[in-house]
């Protein structure tokens, strides 16, 4: 099966803990993304990687760090979570990047994080 | 920066009636953006419904249509006759030249009444 897979589906943790989310795509794409969907349902880009190279790094707190071991994997680590980190984190991939990117982005099911 | 506005957070339509979900956009880069509608069905991931990359063109999929109106900077989603299976959250989005990301609207939840 070719798709974008995310683990875990749901994670509950306490303020100050470290969490890590995994994303794997089996579509053979070169570019992967992390988006955050907050409580107001707004989806915003956080990071984008092309062939293991960081190409988009929006203004996110430094406690967020993406990690890419190869072009099929893009994990997200959050050191010392805060209550405002409670959200759904969506991973996506697309065939290529650069220029006027017409390529469709394919999304995973998301990881819901609840910080108590 | 770029922005996408969906004015309705929720729309309720009776089965077999027509639907329109509004989307307007603002893009700051030179040239026209690519426009997309994504959909999230209950229990599933976000998936592309349709896209249009040329101003003035219409995209269609699964009975849904959207026309790229550059004068009105709009990309409204329409369907002539909705079904219960259309219940989902619909997101309008765009990307622009040099921007390696999608900019999304807040989404519109479509509820179909039997």
């Amino acid at each position: 099966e070719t798709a974008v897979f995310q683990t875990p589906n749901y994670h509950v943790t306490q303020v100050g803990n470290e969490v890590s989310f995994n994303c794997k795509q089996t579509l053979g794409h070169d570019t992967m993304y992390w988006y955050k969907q907050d409580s107001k349902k707004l989806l915003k880009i956080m990071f984008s990687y092309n062939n293991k190279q960081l190409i988009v790094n929006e203004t996110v707190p430094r406690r967020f760090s993406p990690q890419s071991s190869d072009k099929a994997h893009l994990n997200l680590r959050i050191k010392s979570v805060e209550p405002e980190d409670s959200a759904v984190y969506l991973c996506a991939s697309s065939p290529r990047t650069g220029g006027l990117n017409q390529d469709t982005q394919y999304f995973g099911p998301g990881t819901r994080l609840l910080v108590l | 920066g770029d922005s996408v506005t969906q004015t309705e957070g929720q729309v309720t339509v009776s089965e077999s009636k027509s639907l329109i979900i509004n989307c307007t956009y603002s893009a700051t880069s030179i040239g026209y953006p690519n426009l997309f509608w994504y959909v999230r069905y209950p229990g599933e991931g976000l998936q592309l419904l349709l896209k249009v990359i040329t101003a003035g063109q219409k995209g269609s999929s699964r009975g849904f249509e959207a026309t790229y109106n550059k004068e009105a900077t709009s990309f409204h989603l329409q369907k002539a006759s909705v079904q219960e299976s259309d219940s989902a959250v619909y997101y309008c989005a765009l990307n622009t030249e040099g921007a390696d990301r999608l900019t999304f609207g807040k989404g519109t939840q479509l509820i179909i009444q039997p």
Side-chain angles (χ1 to χ4, degrees):
Chain A
E1 182 186 4
T2 54
V4 181
F5 302 95
Q6 290 185 243
T7 57
N9 294 327
Y10 186 63
H11 188 76
V12 182
T13 190
Q14 294 186 328
V15 171
N17 286 348
E18 178 175 313
V19 299
S20 186
F21 305 146
N22 299 314
C23 180
K24 169 187 172 182
Q25 55 95 3
T26 57
L27 297 163
H29 291 164
D30 291 330
T31 306
M32 296 184 71
Y33 311 80
W34 277 108
Y35 288 83
K36 178 182 179 181
Q37 186 171 35
D38 60 23
S39 58
K40 297 179 181 178
K41 303 299 184 183
L42 191 61
L43 266 163
K44 296 185 90 170
I45 187 73
M46 299 177 69
F47 301 102
S48 170
Y49 268 73
N50 177 255
N51 278 320
K52 301 196 314 179
Q53 298 296 316
L54 180 66
I55 55 173
V56 170
N57 185 355
E58 288 297 287
T59 307
V60 299
R62 292 176 64 181
R63 60 180 180 275
F64 288 84
S65 60
Q67 299 166 321
S68 179
S69 57
D70 56 56
K71 70 175 187 178
H73 295 84
L74 182 63
N75 299 332
L76 182 66
R77 186 179 73 167
I78 314 174
K79 291 174 61 176
S80 189
V81 294
E82 298 287 338
E84 60 265 30
D85 298 336
S86 295
V88 176
Y89 293 86
L90 290 176
C91 177
S93 73
S94 70
R96 60 180 173 87
T97 189
L100 192 62
N101 188 354
Q102 307 165 5
D103 290 330
T104 299
Q105 291 189 19
Y106 295 81
F107 286 82
T111 294
R112 183 178 295 275
L113 173 66
L114 178 60
V115 180
L116 301 176
Chain B
D2 300 336
S3 67
V4 176
T5 301
Q6 292 178 244
T7 52
E8 306 104 342
Q10 182 175 297
V11 170
T12 301
V13 181
S14 297
E15 200 166 10
S16 80
K17 299 298 184 184
S18 63
L19 164 74
I20 182 164
I21 297 178
N22 295 311
C23 172
T24 57
Y25 65 89
S26 172
T28 56
S29 65
I30 296 172
Y32 298 111
N34 299 321
L35 301 177
F36 305 80
W37 277 101
Y38 278 81
V39 58
R40 185 166 193 163
Y41 296 104
E44 299 185 18
L46 198 62
Q47 57 187 277
L48 179 71
L49 178 60
L50 57 87
K51 69 179 181 183
V52 180
I53 63 173
T54 304
Q57 297 294 311
K58 181 194 295 184
S60 61
S61 174
R62 306 179 207 176
F64 289 89
E65 294 183 338
T67 300
Y68 190 154
N69 186 330
K70 65 180 175 67
E71 288 81 17
T73 62
S74 69
F75 192 55
H76 305 320
L77 184 68
Q78 302 184 67
K79 189 173 186 181
S81 176
V82 298
Q83 305 167 356
E84 191 174 352
S85 57
D86 295 326
S87 296
V89 181
Y90 294 82
Y91 294 90
C92 186
L94 66 81
N95 67 8
T96 55
E97 185 166 3
D100 298 310
R101 88 283 306 271
L102 286 167
T103 299
F104 284 92
K106 290 187 176 182
T108 299
Q109 179 157 18
L110 174 62
I111 298 173
I112 306 299
Q113 285 184 333

